[in-house]
Amino acid sequence: MYRYDQYDLELLEQRTAQFRDQVARRLSGALSEEEFLPLRLQNGLYLQRHAYMLRVAIPYGTLSANQLRVLAEIAERWDRGYGHFTTRQNVQFNWIHLEDAPDIMDRLAEAEMHAIQTSGNVVRNITTEQFAGVAADEVMDPRPLAEILRQWSTMNPEFAFLPRKFKIAISSSATDRAAVKAHDVGLYLYRGEQGEALLKVLVGGGLGRTPMLGTVIREALPWRHLTTYVEAVLRVYNRHGRRDNKYKARIKILVQALGADAFSTEVEREWEQIKDSPATITKAEYLRVAAHFAQPPYADAEGDAAIVAAQRQASPAFARWCRRNVHAHQVAGYACVTLSTKPGMAAPPGDVTSAQMRAVADWAEQYGFGEIRVSHEQNLILPDVRQRDLYALWQEAEAAGLATANIGLLTDVIACPGGDYCSLANARSIPVAQAIQARFQNLDFLHDLGELSLNISGCVNACGHHHLGNIGVLGVDKNGEEWYQVTLGGNQGLEAAIGKVIGRAFRAEEMPDVIDKIVATFCTHRAGDESFSETYTRIGLAPFKERVYAQEGV
Amino acid sequence: MKHIIRVLPAGADIVVDEWLLLHDSETALSRLAEHAMQRVILPLPLWRTLRDGTESFDPSSTGVWIASDDEYEDVACELLDLPLIAVDFPSFRDGRGYSVAYLLRTRYGFRGELRAIGDVLRDQLFYMRRCGFDSFEVRADKDIRDALKGLAAYTIRYQGSVDDPVPLFRKRAEAAPSLPDEHWEP
């Protein structure tokens, strides 16, 4: 993974010193709350319902074992012993005191971490997929370009006060596991006919109040022009994006207003002026950064497959875990393992305790090369596990409550913190998620249902990506009461789609029954081994709607 | 006497403001007559009117200020001869002025004084400086000496901008041997 050199460290030291001074000026009253607000947001600090929340950046979801231990320490020293992993591959602490924030930043900086631009109207954490560099279906490793883009966007002076937040994702596999189409700028990295590295650039995706998928504005952009092209997009957006209405300020609204073609023309015109500027990426820089992502010293592990096959035979529970939580690796005899943070009633989706973080850090060293990933589905990943170690890891993860065999299944619920913490939320997310998880505890049944994503957001800001869930749940406020609106047919990945609202909203206590009826409808109409989304595509919304609302008025 | 922050080759300092900023197009004309001998900063729409009109005014003692939603590109080339252009920040959260400054400096090559006016605060000065501003009218209720510290926050920057177009990575590479670049693919 990327390690800081003297420049990265010095910049971070200057940033933490600046932030410490800003907090002191806020506490003394020299800075008003209005003036302090964007400054603290650009350092990841939100004021929530009960306390400050600190969102720590995990660039493209990659952590070292040591960094995860530091997060565990922060959770214990300054929070309540746990952290919440987010759909932007970051981690949040929910019970922070403003006075402590500068010390936390210093502790993070010692471990080459920070909270820069995890919030505010700036370029946010660059995300990619959780299996970058190890996925069997990978075309190219997207991490070097993600890191180059991270550095380019970090404290970029021209784009620190954009009309609205700005999210960028990059992916380079047969499958898109980074929700690229739901980003302000989405990037697909691929090989051209001569083997050259090219980018397909999408603009104007985003969820929130007006969900949209990104539109392609540029094909075959040579990799070395990535930063100048993004600069052109941002300059057009910074100048022309709406600032009169917060809800119409995302770039998608500008792209829609101008039309994708006109927007693209505008970007190309701007890009012509800067395309060979010094920001153009060099071979030397690519190689310098890529060296940090070089393959670790893998062992010859070809024999491992036979060992694990025998163990799967012997233990159905282990076999089930392997089916859902173990993923193909580029190197024979190795595997990627997803540790589920979705045990059901035991903990809210994405929440991990300090003790669990330390255990995961230990496993990363014992069974891998000391690295951990965070997925945008809020789970933790060990990217390089030898297959002969899977059984031992499974047993330890089981004991630590991190081995629920439900990755990609209905109970692998993606949920924002919701009304229990967030002051933006209209409704709570966690109790609804847990009530649904409790209803579907039978693992055999869940496995039979197959791939089925359930996403819950507590408000239209859509941190739970509810539009992209096969089943989406959105908390809404009706006369001061919490209600939940259900959408069906959402999808992430290359076949990304935005779900459709099924009908009138429900009360929290109705939700498990509603999901039950949706699942029952799927089972009735399912042909063979179809996935939920395949069945939905075939039969449409109507049969689900009919069943869900059948007893009304009886 | 009003003061501003001015960046000169010797460094940034607090200096007496020699310009009179006329905010309002409506009243500016009469005030212009009052201050016939003084250097004034006119609203862009008024400058357009005067330029097209018959009344003579002295371009060497005239500046223009650009509001964040003003269209200025059709006259950008004419503005280049002015000794001063000011860019207004209606709120410090409105970042359009950064791009205006960047374009005036790099695209149009404006060499005169480029001043940030409006909601100009200490914690944004560093970014403003990077985008090409070299004078700052700090918001009146703020301590200008305190604001001056905002320019000193950082010595490291990842990306190039107006102040230094060469990104950090090209400086990192100076230590390493340079590699032929043209047709290399990762």
Side-chain angles (χ1 to χ4, degrees), chain A residues 265-277:
Chain A
T265 307
E266 192 77 12
V267 170
E268 289 286 326
R269 191 181 305 152
E270 176 59 34
W271 184 59
E272 278 305 315
Q273 303 281 334
I274 56 173
K275 78 182 248 197
D276 291 313
S277 71

Side-chain angles (χ1 to χ4, degrees), chain A residues 378-390:
Chain A
Q378 307 173 282
N379 293 309
L380 297 180
I381 282 97
L382 298 176
D384 299 297
V385 181
R386 271 196 72 163
Q387 291 184 7
R388 68 169 184 199
D389 294 331
L390 286 171

Side-chain angles (χ1 to χ4, degrees), chain A residues 174-438:
Chain A
T175 324
D176 168 6
R177 284 175 288 259
V180 165
K181 292 180 183 175
H183 285 76
D184 296 280
V185 164
L187 301 159
Y188 288 115
L189 176 63
Y190 63 100
R191 292 276 184 204
E193 281 174 20
Q194 267 77 52
E196 66 276 37
L198 302 173
L199 292 152
K200 187 196 283 268
V201 182
L202 286 77
V203 171
L207 301 175
R209 198 168 292 250
T210 320
M212 281 182 214
L213 299 175
T215 316
V216 178
I217 63 158
R218 185 63 148 84
E219 303 269 4
L221 180 76
W223 63 276
R224 65 185 74 233
H225 298 305
L226 170 61
T227 41
T228 51
Y229 205 83
V230 173
E231 179 177 336
V233 171
L234 278 167
R235 186 162 298 126
V236 171
Y237 172 53
N238 192 38
R239 299 179 66 203
H240 303 297
R242 283 182 65 171
R243 291 175 189 265
D244 59 328
N245 182 342
K246 180 180 171 180
Y247 302 115
K248 297 189 187 300
R250 292 284 290 270
I251 195 172
K252 60 193 173 190
I253 304 293
L254 177 64
V255 175
Q256 194 189 37
L258 291 178
D261 288 343
F263 181 82
S264 168
T265 307
E266 192 77 12
V267 170
E268 289 286 326
R269 191 181 305 152
E270 176 59 34
W271 184 59
E272 278 305 315
Q273 303 281 334
I274 56 173
K275 78 182 248 197
D276 291 313
S277 71
T280 308
I281 307 165
T282 59
K283 174 184 178 182
E285 174 64 355
Y286 188 93
L287 289 175
R288 181 187 78 84
V289 175
H292 290 277
F293 301 102
Q295 278 211 341
Y298 291 114
D300 176 4
E302 297 228 16
D304 283 22
I307 302 171
V308 82
Q311 288 165 329
R312 287 175 71 148
Q313 281 280 310
S315 166
F318 174 62
R320 187 158 58 195
W321 180 75
C322 287
R323 260 201 313 280
R324 296 311 321 179
N325 297 37
V326 175
H327 320 275
H329 197 285
Q330 285 174 5
V331 177
Y334 281 83
C336 316
V337 169
T338 301
L339 300 163
S340 173
T341 70
K342 324 285 178 70
M345 293 310 286
D351 278 15
V352 179
T353 66
S354 292
Q356 288 176 318
M357 288 186 215
R358 289 198 181 95
V360 174
D362 290 346
W363 304 334
E365 284 170 346
Q366 191 183 345
Y367 300 120
F369 299 97
E371 196 176 304
I372 300 101
R373 308 285 181 82
V374 183
S375 69
H376 82 87
E377 291 92 350
Q378 307 173 282
N379 293 309
L380 297 180
I381 282 97
L382 298 176
D384 299 297
V385 181
R386 271 196 72 163
Q387 291 184 7
R388 68 169 184 199
D389 294 331
L390 286 171
Y391 193 82
L393 172 61
W394 171 65
Q395 287 183 309
E396 289 191 61
E398 187 80 0
L402 292 166
T404 312
N406 64 349
I407 301 308
L409 304 181
L410 179 60
T411 56
D412 186 8
V413 177
I414 296 177
C416 69
D420 290 299
Y421 299 97
C422 180
S423 47
L424 301 173
N426 290 322
R428 287 169 298 165
S429 308
I430 296 168
V432 173
Q434 293 189 319
I436 295 167
Q437 287 170 321

